[in-house]
Amino acid sequence: MPKLSSIIDDVKRRLHGRTPAEVVSLTLKTVRHTARGISPAAARARRADQAFDRRWGTDTSGTVNLSALSVARDRALLGFGYQASNGVALDEAVTRAGIDPARYSFIDYGSGKGRAVMIAAARGFQRAIGVEFAPELHDIALANGRRFKSAGGSSTRCEFILGDAGSYEPPTGPIFAYIYNSFGTVILREVLSRLETRAAQGDPVVIVYVNPLNRSAFEDGQRWTVAADRSDWVLYTPAC
């Protein structure tokens, strides 16, 4: 068990240089992060996490608070902590969209340790790309991708990019974007702006937004149409 002095030092490190408003924001995020971790849904998710990792020898489970990662403070305040996606929404959304994954590049914005990217690679997407701004999570994702492929999870190589989701330039061609509520409306609007450009250039774009807490980013500007609406995810396509 960590010593009290170590815990105090860690708290001081995380709060150093932050404004009162930033301290309040960080505290609220920590409370939400802790509450999610003790809920029945979290217990079920942990079991699913462990099953995936046992099968493939990967490390994708658990949750990570952004304050524990080496990320730019101003951008960290616009994002949320890491929690792996179980991929159920991905399978359902692909079926509902009626697309051929082999024609599409899959992009997970805020890919963390890379589980959704690995699931997409196994699902047969032409490319499986993950964009993550935390170096620690990016390094874990790289190792996970190698283990997944060597264990026979997929012949498609998982592509992990270290960078900010809001500034990532998506590839040309059909895109299937996966957003698991990794960030708030500021970064989400940056991501959507680049995807809107691709759509305007004629590239087919489909977005599945999981845990859709900031739907206004999609729906206020009337640039995206709801193609499917479930309790925990929404499927969007460009408005005509």
Side-chain angles (χ1 to χ4, degrees):
M1 180 179 234
K3 294 181 179 180
L4 179 58
S5 60
S6 298
I7 296 174
I8 293 174
D9 288 342
D10 183 58
V11 171
K12 288 180 178 179
R13 177 183 62 78
R14 296 185 186 186
L15 298 182
H16 177 69
R18 298 182 185 272
T19 66
E22 291 172 341
V23 170
V24 171
S25 176
L26 177 60
T27 301
L28 290 175
K29 287 182 181 181
T30 301
V31 170
R32 288 195 296 266
H33 180 80
T34 302
R36 287 197 300 267
I38 61 177
S39 68
R44 291 192 295 271
R46 281 193 293 272
R47 289 193 291 271
D49 286 349
Q50 293 161 3
F52 183 93
D53 288 339
R54 279 197 302 270
R55 179 177 183 183
W56 302 112
T58 52
D59 170 21
T60 64
S61 60
T63 58
V64 182
N65 197 305
L66 286 183
S67 62
L69 301 171
S70 303
V71 295
R73 188 179 68 185
D74 59 335
R75 300 299 276 180
L77 290 170
L78 301 174
F80 307 115
Y82 167 77
Q83 181 177 349
S85 174
N86 60 21
V88 172
L90 170 57
D91 287 336
E92 293 177 349
V94 168
T95 300
R96 181 64 179 81
I99 66 168
D100 176 9
R103 295 183 53 245
Y104 280 72
S105 293
F106 172 91
I107 307 171
D108 182 5
Y109 288 90
S111 52
K113 297 180 181 180
R115 182 189 297 178
V117 178
M118 289 181 276
I119 293 172
R123 194 72 164 72
F125 278 89
Q126 183 182 82
R127 296 176 66 183
I129 303 167
V131 183
E132 173 56 50
F133 76 158
E136 297 91 338
L137 298 181
H138 172 72
D139 289 344
I140 293 172
L142 289 173
N144 282 335
R146 290 191 293 268
R147 293 191 192 103
F148 187 71
K149 187 175 182 180
S150 65
S154 172
S155 59
T156 300
R157 182 177 68 87
C158 296
E159 304 175 45
F160 294 110
I161 297 169
L162 177 61
D164 190 287
S167 59
Y168 171 70
E169 194 65 48
T172 57
I175 294 171
F176 187 98
Y178 186 85
I179 304 173
Y180 182 40
N181 197 44
S182 299
F183 31 75
T185 56
V186 173
I187 298 177
L188 182 54
R189 291 182 191 279
E190 293 172 356
V191 170
L192 293 181
S193 176
R194 294 177 185 276
L195 292 174
E196 287 160 9
T197 298
R198 283 284 180 267
Q201 293 171 347
D203 291 335
V205 177
V206 179
I207 304 175
V208 58
Y209 183 29
V210 185
N211 189 18
L213 299 181
N214 296 293
R215 294 180 56 156
S216 61
F218 287 88
E219 298 171 18
D220 285 352
Q222 299 182 336
R223 289 183 291 272
W224 297 93
T225 298
V226 175
D229 193 342
R230 300 292 184 266
S231 60
D232 58 346
W233 60 269
V234 184
L235 187 70
Y236 290 100
T237 55
C240 296

